[in-house]
C-alpha cells in the first residue's frame, strides 16, 4: 500500500530527472563484461533512480537483481541539411520548389529541409503579397498545405550559401548573371534548372517542370543518404 505509492512517486520523479539528464548531458554507454560486473550492472540504477536507490528505506523497495540494467546510447537527432532554392523575386518559382520539397522530404523521412530566397535586391517590393497566387493554386491542386505563416519574399544573404548543402537557381540565363555579379564567391556552388518565369511560360508548364526537378532531387538525395549510411 504505502510502500507501493511511495515507490511509484519516487520512480516518477526519478524518471523525469533521467529524461532531463538525457536531454542536457551526453554520456557513454557502459559495456558490461560477460559476467556483468557490479560496476556495470549498477550503472542504470544509479542513473535512473539516483538518490532513491541509495536511500536506506527506499532502496529496500528495489530488488537489484531484477532492476539493474544498462541503458543504450541515446543519440540526439541531427539537424537536417539545408537546400536553398533561388529565383529572382522569391515569390513564385522558388517558393513552389521550397514548399513542395519540404512536403516530399518529410513524407520520405529525408534529413533535408528547404528554404528559398530572391536574387533581386529588395525583392519583397517587386510583387504584391507574400506569395504568388500561381504558387498557392499549384500547391493546392497537389493537395500540399501551405505553411501556417506566409512570410514575405526575402533577399538571399551570404550566410544562406554557406549554410546550404545544395543550392539551386531555377533559371540559368536569368540567374547566373545575378549570382556572378552579386555573389561571385558562391556562383560555382549553384546548380541551375531551366524554368522560365511567368512572363515566358505559363504556370501549367513551369510548375510541372519544377515538380519533376524537385522529385528527381529528392531521389538523388535519398540515394546519397542511403549510401552514406552503409
Amino acid at each position: 500500500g504505502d510502500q507501493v505509492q511511495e515507490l511509484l512517486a519516487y520512480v516518477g520523479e526519478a524518471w523525469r530527472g533521467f529524461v532531463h539528464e538525457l536531454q542536457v548531458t551526453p554520456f557513454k554507454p557502459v559495456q558490461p563484461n560477460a559476467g556483468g560486473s557490479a560496476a556495470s550492472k549498477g550503472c542504470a540504477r544509479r542513473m535512473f533512480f539516483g538518490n532513491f536507490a541509495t536511500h536506506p528505506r527506499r532502496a529496500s523497495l528495489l530488488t537489484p537483481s531484477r532492476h539493474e540494467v544498462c541503458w543504450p546510447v541515446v543519440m540526439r537527432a541531427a539537424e537536417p541539411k539545408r537546400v536553398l532554392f533561388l529565383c529572382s523575386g522569391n515569390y513564385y518559382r522558388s517558393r513552389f520548389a521550397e514548399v513542395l520539397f519540404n512536403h516530399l522530404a518529410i513524407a520520405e523521412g529525408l534529413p533535408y529541409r528547404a528554404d528559398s530566397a530572391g536574387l533581386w535586391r529588395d525583392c519583397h517590393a517587386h510583387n504584391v503579397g507574400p506569395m504568388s497566387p500561381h504558387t498557392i493554386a499549384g500547391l493546392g491542386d497537389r493537395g500540399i498545405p501551405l505553411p501556417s505563416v506566409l512570410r514575405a519574399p526575402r533577399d538571399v544573404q551570404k550566410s544562406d550559401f554557406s549554410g546550404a548543402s545544395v543550392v539551386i537557381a531555377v533559371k540559368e540565363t536569368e540567374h547566373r548573371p545575378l549570382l556572378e555579379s552579386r555573389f561571385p564567391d558562391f556562383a560555382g556552388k549553384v546548380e541551375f534548372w531551366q524554368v522560365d518565369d511567368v512572363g515566358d511560360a505559363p504556370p501549367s508548364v513551369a510548375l510541372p517542370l519544377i515538380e519533376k526537378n524537385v522529385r528527381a532531387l529528392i531521389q538523388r538525395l535519398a540515394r546519397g543518404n542511403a549510401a552514406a549510411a552503409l
Side-chain angles (χ1 to χ4, degrees), residues 73-86:
V73 179
V74 177
M75 302 294 291
R76 291 176 182 269
E79 287 292 321
K81 296 179 181 179
R82 291 189 61 230
V83 174
L84 177 66
F85 292 107
L86 300 171

Side-chain angles (χ1 to χ4, degrees), residues 40-180:
S40 65
K41 289 175 66 179
C43 66
R45 185 158 67 106
R46 288 193 302 273
M47 186 181 299
F48 182 83
F49 292 105
N51 292 334
F52 178 86
T54 60
H55 189 286
R57 179 162 176 257
R58 297 168 192 162
S60 68
L61 301 176
L62 301 174
T63 304
S65 62
R66 296 177 57 191
H67 294 279
E68 289 174 343
V69 294
C70 286
W71 295 87
V73 179
V74 177
M75 302 294 291
R76 291 176 182 269
E79 287 292 321
K81 296 179 181 179
R82 291 189 61 230
V83 174
L84 177 66
F85 292 107
L86 300 171
C87 69
S88 298
N90 193 217
Y91 182 69
Y92 166 46
R93 292 167 291 175
S94 62
R95 299 293 285 282
F96 181 81
E98 173 194 351
V99 177
L100 175 62
F101 180 95
N102 285 335
H103 178 78
L104 296 176
I106 291 171
E108 294 290 331
L110 192 65
Y112 286 82
R113 292 297 179 269
D115 196 1
S116 65
L119 287 164
W120 283 339
R121 297 183 188 275
D122 300 320
C123 61
H124 67 279
H126 290 261
N127 295 286
V128 177
M131 183 181 284
S132 168
H134 300 306
T135 297
I136 294 172
L139 293 169
D141 290 344
R142 291 161 175 80
I144 299 173
L146 295 173
S148 57
V149 176
L150 289 182
R151 63 167 176 82
R154 70 177 187 88
D155 295 10
V156 68
Q157 307 295 321
K158 288 183 178 180
S159 58
D160 291 313
F161 292 99
S162 57
S165 299
V166 179
V167 183
I168 295 172
V170 299
K171 179 65 176 181
E172 183 169 10
T173 56
E174 181 182 348
H175 298 137
R176 185 182 287 277
L178 288 169
L179 282 161
E180 291 177 346

